[in-house]
Amino acid sequence: MDTFFSQKYCDRCGKELSGGRIMSMFNTDCICMECKKKETELPEYKDAIKADCRL
Ligand SMILES: [Zn+2]
């Protein structure tokens, strides 16, 4: 989390984060918008949101 704003590359695909960065719903990975989009299309994504709301 402490490197979230300082890291330059996506934890998932290694692409530069110049186009934007966001935290993964599944872990603390800092990912690019492209990976985030793929993540939202996963069937597990809705479950991850539900789990997050329970906190
Ligand atoms: Zn990525």
Side-chain angles (χ1 to χ4, degrees):
M1 184 59 191
D2 46 323
T3 58
F4 184 79
F5 291 104
S6 59
Q7 72 182 73
K8 286 192 170 83
Y9 303 101
C10 173
D11 279 331
R12 198 152 297 168
C13 70
K15 215 181 101 177
E16 275 189 62
L17 291 167
S18 48
R21 68 188 63 202
I22 195 156
M23 178 84 67
S24 166
M25 271 308 284
F26 297 102
N27 51 39
T28 56
D29 281 356
C30 178
I31 56 175
C32 68
M33 300 314 281
E34 225 171 273
C35 289
K36 177 64 182 180
K37 192 172 175 289
K38 284 178 198 159
E39 197 172 75
T40 60
E41 286 163 2
L42 291 172
E44 305 96 286
Y45 185 73
K46 280 180 189 167
D47 294 335
I49 292 173
K50 276 185 218 157
D52 203 40
C53 288
R54 249 181 266 135
L55 293 173

